[in-house]
Amino acid sequence: MDSLDYEKRTKVDLSSDEGEKRSAQSSPRDYEAQSLRSLVEGVDVFGDEESNDIHYKTLSWPFVAILMIAEIVSNGMLALPNALAVVGIVPAVILIVFLGMFALFTAKLLIDFKLNHPEVHNMGDAGYILFGPIGREILSAGTVVFAICATGSELLSGQQALSTLSNQGYCSMWLLLIFAAAVFLVALPRTLGNLSHLGLFSVGLIVFSGVLAMIGASINPTEGRKLDVVVTTNFYDAFLAITNPVFAYAGHFMFFILMSEMPRPKDAMKAATCLQGFSTAFYVAFSVVMYVYIGPTIQSPALLSLPPLWSKTTFAIALGNFLIAGSLYSHTAAKLVFMRFFRRTRHVHSHTVLGWVCWILLCLLAVGVAAVLAIAVPIFSYLIGIVAAVFASWYTYGLAGFFWLHDTYHLEGGWKAISRRWIGTIFALLTILMGAFICGAGTYVSVKLIIDAYDNGLVGHPFTC
């Protein structure tokens, strides 16, 4: 569906005298009303920034692609080779490619929705347009919860890397806290543009780590390994393996926030194409090579299956990516809450004491909660699977169908447009059904995994090394 002309949408200039006066007179309880009014009025998120102190709309499409690759390829790559061991090479590769193509399709629907609704800054704003106030609260809360859990996942990866480098010689809890402090500092810049060059560095690190891991696996193959083209397995084990490639593309919840900081949001599709094309190709190459040389004993993360020296080297290189990916997730959680309460106030675009204090506290809270969960909840690594199943299934896949149906109905002629564009309608409905299936099956598998972990005594204790 063709998007409306972005430049023709209504904008608000917060740098004007009237805007400054209105912002200065706002009390904290007025912020929510102002944020809601901007949604109702269809106002561009950041408006005209020419004379503002802080400029958000500085992201070019190549750097949007880089930030997304830095965030998505991070832990996603390391978990995929294990899927080949469970279902076989051919089904796993087909699944990875299909999900990459499907994620590109749903990205197109998300991007069109954002171009049609420049007031949308995050999934919560989109939820308000689709489902009203309740939808806004659910999708906003889901985004924050998912971003914090993703931050915790990166903290665990960082802790695992540091433990590997230290030969398990230091308390893992303290290593995680040290890594969390570094993530907090990297997340502090107010705009994503200030993180974009770090994103380039992060992509270089994770790609180099992956290439080096493939070289290490080829030099040190597992003797007597048995490779399977197709593996017959039960639904539980199969879907448990499938969740890795499904959630390896779970970055769509950041699309709206990233597009809001682009001076040319129309270029977002170029970034999405670059992201999905690169990630899919790299996922397939890394997964196949690692599985072919290591075989069915490959672990998750895959770097643990390498000899000690290679494992330490690849973990050390990937550590920078875990750091930056974690900062992107925590930045996203903080940005959503910050914009929820300060949208259309001078605290967004000016260096005010209140604005900076709140921003720092939100970043600290996002990273702090993630760290506490990772340390205090013994089943946190399993809990991440449930959160991903409940929210990522909809953010990456299911909601895109609702976006298409909503805009086709409201912008192109109601039910006649829905029936006239029946092919698009069918794809939209299938997208919704797929999101529902992944959500239901993924939640079932994750819950069963927790039960099995408790039954087998695999669950540890909180606040231990």
Side-chain angles (χ1 to χ4, degrees):
M1 178 173 54
D2 295 333
S3 59
L4 299 181
D5 190 352
Y6 182 84
E7 285 77 7
K8 291 182 179 178
R9 303 292 297 205
T10 305
K11 295 183 179 180
V12 62
D13 186 357
L14 287 178
S15 64
S16 66
D17 292 338
E18 181 182 353
E20 290 288 342
K21 181 178 179 181
R22 186 170 60 249
S23 298
Q25 293 175 344
S26 298
S27 63
R29 62 185 178 183
D30 292 331
Y31 296 153
E32 174 68 10
Q34 293 170 343
S35 177
L36 187 59
R37 187 164 61 249
S38 69
L39 281 175
V40 175
E41 295 173 354
V43 177
D44 176 79
V45 177
F46 295 112
D48 185 357
E49 298 185 310
E50 184 175 350
S51 60
N52 294 326
D53 296 331
I54 303 175
H55 291 184
Y56 290 87
K57 294 191 287 189
T58 58
L59 281 176
S60 63
W61 74 261
F63 276 107
V64 170
I66 286 169
L67 288 173
M68 292 300 294
I69 291 172
E71 172 252 329
I72 287 180
V73 176
S74 184
N75 278 336
M77 175 191 77
L78 302 181
L80 285 176
N82 182 256
L84 277 68
V86 177
V87 298
I89 296 178
V90 172
V93 169
I94 291 175
L95 186 66
I96 292 171
V97 174
F98 167 75
L99 289 173
M101 295 174 61
F102 195 46
L104 181 61
F105 168 71
T106 56
K108 174 67 166 60
L109 301 186
L110 265 70
I111 290 168
D112 284 346
F113 187 81
K114 166 63 177 176
L115 295 178
N116 289 335
H117 306 276
E119 68 274 19
V120 169
H121 175 258
N122 52 66
M123 282 291 179
D125 293 344
Y128 181 81
I129 293 174
L130 292 179
F131 309 117
I134 295 178
R136 186 189 194 200
E137 301 306 330
I138 292 175
L139 296 187
S140 293
T143 300
V144 173
V145 170
F146 183 75
I148 289 176
C149 286
T151 302
S153 177
E154 297 295 343
L155 293 181
L156 287 176
S157 296
Q159 173 264 313
Q160 197 167 40
L162 292 173
S163 294
T164 301
L165 292 172
S166 64
N167 292 320
Q168 319 298 326
Y170 297 97
C171 176
S172 59
M173 181 175 65
W174 293 113
L175 291 177
L176 189 145
L177 290 174
I178 292 170
F179 191 69
V183 168
F184 163 68
L185 292 176
V186 176
L188 281 178
R190 289 273 289 273
T191 68
L192 287 166
N194 289 328
L195 293 175
S196 58
H197 290 86
L198 287 177
L200 180 61
F201 179 63
S202 176
V203 171
L205 289 176
I206 196 64
V207 170
F208 184 38
S209 176
V211 171
L212 200 61
M214 289 187 280
I215 295 173
S218 65
I219 294 176
N220 304 277
T222 301
E223 297 295 335
R225 63 193 180 279
K226 179 179 178 294
L227 306 180
D228 294 302
V229 176
V230 179
V231 176
T232 302
T233 185
N234 56 50
F235 173 82
Y236 170 72
D237 291 332
F239 199 86
L240 184 61
I242 288 172
T243 55
N244 288 333
V246 166
F247 302 136
Y249 294 103
H252 286 42
F253 77 105
M254 288 182 63
F255 272 17
F256 292 146
I257 292 177
L258 286 164
M259 287 184 66
S260 296
E261 299 193 25
M262 294 179 67
R264 286 184 53 83
K266 285 183 176 180
D267 291 338
M269 196 60 205
K270 298 177 184 177
T273 303
C274 181
L275 160 69
Q276 303 301 352
F278 175 83
S279 60
T280 301
F282 194 66
Y283 283 162
V284 170
F286 182 80
S287 302
V288 170
V289 171
M290 295 298 287
Y291 175 68
V292 165
Y293 285 106
I294 296 178
T297 60
I298 191 164
Q299 301 179 55
S300 178
L303 301 185
L304 292 176
S305 299
L306 297 171
L309 179 60
W310 287 92
S311 181
K312 288 182 180 180
T313 303
T314 51
F315 261 127
I317 295 171
L319 190 60
N321 172 264
F322 301 152
L323 172 66
I324 296 169
S327 69
L328 284 172
Y329 286 127
S330 53
H331 181 103
T332 298
K335 182 67 70 66
L336 185 151
V337 177
F338 185 84
M339 291 300 297
R340 174 71 178 266
F341 289 103
F342 291 108
R343 185 184 293 194
R344 298 187 68 183
T345 72
R346 62 191 179 91
H347 304 294
V348 172
H349 288 284
S350 300
H351 295 291
T352 65
V353 173
L354 177 61
W356 272 107
V357 168
C358 289
W359 173 251
I360 293 172
L361 288 177
L362 287 171
C363 290
L364 181 62
L365 186 63
V367 178
V369 171
V372 170
L373 288 173
I375 294 172
V377 181
I379 61 169
F380 180 67
S381 58
Y382 302 104
L383 189 63
I384 293 172
I386 295 179
V387 172
V390 172
F391 294 110
S393 58
W394 291 107
Y395 293 153
T396 305
Y397 299 108
L399 281 176
F402 286 111
F403 293 152
W404 191 92
L405 292 173
H406 175 277
D407 280 3
T408 300
Y409 179 85
H410 289 281
L411 303 181
E412 298 196 14
W415 292 112
K416 289 184 178 179
I418 295 288
S419 60
R420 184 176 67 251
R421 305 189 62 177
W422 60 272
I423 296 179
T425 299
I426 291 175
F427 273 103
L429 294 175
L430 289 176
T431 300
I432 295 170
L433 290 176
M434 182 170 181
F437 171 73
I438 294 173
C439 177
T443 302
Y444 163 76
V445 167
S446 298
V447 171
K448 190 176 186 304
L449 194 62
I450 294 175
I451 295 174
D452 292 344
Y454 272 108
D455 291 341
N456 296 324
L458 300 177
V459 178
H461 302 283
F463 300 107
T464 58
C465 293

